[in-house]
Amino acid sequence: MAMEIYSNSASWAFFCFAVAILSAILLTHKRGHNKNKKKLPPGEMGLPWIGETMEFFKAQRKNRMFEEFVQPRMAKYGKIFKTRLMGSPTIIVNGAEANRFFLSNEFKLVISSWPTTSVQLMGSNSIMEKQGDQHRCLRGLIGNTLSSAGLEVLVSKICKSVELHLEKYWNNSIDGISLYHSTKVLTFTIVFECLLGIKVESGTFSTFERILDGVFAPPLAFPGSRGEITEEEVIDNVVLLVFAAHDTTSFAVAMTFKMIAQHPDCHTLLLREQIEIMKQKTEGDILTLEDARKMKYTWQVARESMRLFPPIFGSFRKAIVDIEFEGFIIPRGWKVLWTTHGTHYNEECFEDPLKFNPSRFEETIPPYVYIPFGGGPRLCAGYQLAKLNILIFVHYVVTRYDWSLIYPDEQITMDPLPFPSHGMPIKLSLSLEYK
Ligand code: HEM
């Protein structure tokens, strides 16, 4: 009996010892395994295919994508989180370091990724679809027109377009005018006539507007919808590049005027700068590139307006290899969405970020913090054109007209780019000095 007890407790001790050793081996193995295994960023993938698409679009419609979609998830998961949008597993990244990493690694780790509908309409020959050398070549073509030699000519062309536009649409509009729609027509004309050298015929604008409606349409294959896009339309839509210009610039102009209207001190300073420039001119003179360079405060106002109201929320990339970033893995084929708001609205990047303060641009802003025009190899190709368009338009309007917003608190809608929901109507009259 004693023998039996002894033998049982010996086996029991041996068993416990074996279990302890085995657990230790397994634990060490597991730790080592976890060490090598990188994890996906935290976040919710939601239902298959749909994921969090509905929440994303709902926030987008209200122009509260950052506040209602991104920010609550950042609070829960951090600056980098995963989700699923329109069928694609997606990582949303925020912050200067993420912007630098993903934007500067275009073609090496990621490529730009547009909705299928945009690609169908723009065709595979548009710059957005080109990679590497072909992309560089196309950018070179645009770059030539926007080189400093080209810019001088561009300034005089833009001035003429603006003057003609104001004479045609503004001078007789005593009942007021929609600032947003008017600048859309103007920027459209500027891009076609001043950049591409193509005369805009009546009706061209509305045709392009109609086509643009399809560019960001949700990628749903409605029966028969493919057949509606003719070959001719697809070819024509290579020019859809131009649309990279027209909604964005018009929104930037509209928000600049909104900010000027809401900040009288800023209006005074800006007007002073523009009148100084005007005083140096004799009748019939147009602006020069040198004049545009003197518009330092006006450009600060426009930049600050684009910080608070970036015309582009961010854009999608696709990982072409497995990417490691900040301890997370982003698998090949997944999408990455970088955002402007992630830095523009971050108090670590901009002190008191919700305050409109153009003079913050007197200081140098670190790279990849202020990114309304993107960055890296896909930095906006039309940056110079957009800048001149905004400055010249502001110059003519503030020096020639007395104007005020009809709806000072007009809502902004997004579909998918932001726009003032009533088209920003303004009251206007020729200013006394100009009469
Ligand atoms: C305020 C006005 C504008 C803003 C805020 C803006 C913003 C942007 C942004 C953020 C990108 C990068 C998109 C990405 O990384 O996926 C971009 C690209 C581009 N923009 Fe602009 N843009 C403006 C005006 C213009 C104008 C006037 C043109 C006229 C030609 C233009 C042509 C382009 C082109 C061609 C690209 C693609 C560049 C490439 O893929 O290499 N943009 N723009």
Side-chain angles (χ1 to χ4, degrees), residues 103 106-107 111-114 126-130 135-136 138-139 142 146 187 190-191 195-196 240-253 299 306 309-317 338 340 371-387 389-390:
L103 290 172
E106 179 81 21
F107 310 133
I111 52 171
S112 88
S113 173
W114 285 80
S126 95
I127 194 169
M128 281 116 170
E129 282 298 292
K130 296 283 183 199
H135 172 259
R136 247 194 308 278
L138 269 180
R139 282 206 57 122
I142 301 175
L146 299 175
T187 44
I190 287 176
V191 171
L195 188 70
L196 300 173
L240 269 180
L241 274 183
V242 173
F243 285 110
H246 118 295
D247 277 346
T248 48
T249 313
S250 326
F251 185 66
V253 169
W299 187 232
M306 285 187 273
F309 305 99
I312 291 187
F313 177 80
S315 77
F316 286 95
R317 296 291 188 265
W338 62 268
T340 40
I371 49 161
F373 293 96
R378 289 204 185 267
L379 175 77
C380 176
Y383 168 77
Q384 290 291 356
L385 181 70
K387 181 175 175 182
N389 190 344
I390 295 168

Side-chain angles (χ1 to χ4, degrees), residues 191-303:
V191 171
F192 264 83
E193 298 196 345
C194 306
L195 188 70
L196 300 173
I198 301 169
K199 182 97 190 83
V200 174
E201 305 292 343
S202 66
T204 323
F205 179 73
S206 49
T207 308
F208 270 84
E209 279 274 275
R210 198 165 45 78
I211 293 167
L212 186 64
D213 281 346
V215 172
F216 292 110
L220 298 177
F222 292 114
S225 64
R226 290 173 74 93
E228 281 166 27
I229 304 163
T230 65
E231 197 178 320
E232 199 181 344
E233 277 174 319
V234 173
I235 293 164
D236 282 352
N237 280 296
V238 171
V239 187
L240 269 180
L241 274 183
V242 173
F243 285 110
H246 118 295
D247 277 346
T248 48
T249 313
S250 326
F251 185 66
V253 169
M255 291 304 104
T256 303
F257 276 94
K258 183 183 167 93
M259 290 298 99
I260 300 173
Q262 287 180 354
H263 300 87
D265 294 355
C266 150
H267 188 191
T268 310
L269 287 175
L270 185 144
L271 196 56
R272 196 177 296 156
E273 179 175 85
Q274 295 299 346
I275 287 175
E276 266 316 299
I277 292 168
M278 194 178 69
K279 275 200 216 147
Q280 312 296 317
K281 305 268 147 199
T282 48
E283 217 188 311
D285 276 359
I286 51 167
L287 298 170
T288 60
L289 188 56
E290 190 47 37
D291 294 323
R293 288 193 176 128
K294 286 184 196 152
M295 300 181 188
K296 290 206 162 51
Y297 184 70
T298 309
W299 187 232
Q300 285 176 9
V301 172
R303 291 183 86 196

Side-chain angles (χ1 to χ4, degrees), residues 312-330:
I312 291 187
F313 177 80
S315 77
F316 286 95
R317 296 291 188 265
K318 190 163 95 181
I320 49 174
V321 290
D322 286 346
I323 299 172
E324 272 185 55
F325 180 67
E326 298 201 345
F328 296 118
I329 185 91
I330 300 171

Side-chain angles (χ1 to χ4, degrees), residues 410-428:
E410 187 173 346
Q411 292 291 309
I412 293 160
T413 313
M414 251 179 137
D415 190 22
L417 298 184
F419 63 93
S421 44
H422 298 297
M424 199 179 263
I426 53 169
K427 268 191 256 168
L428 92 144

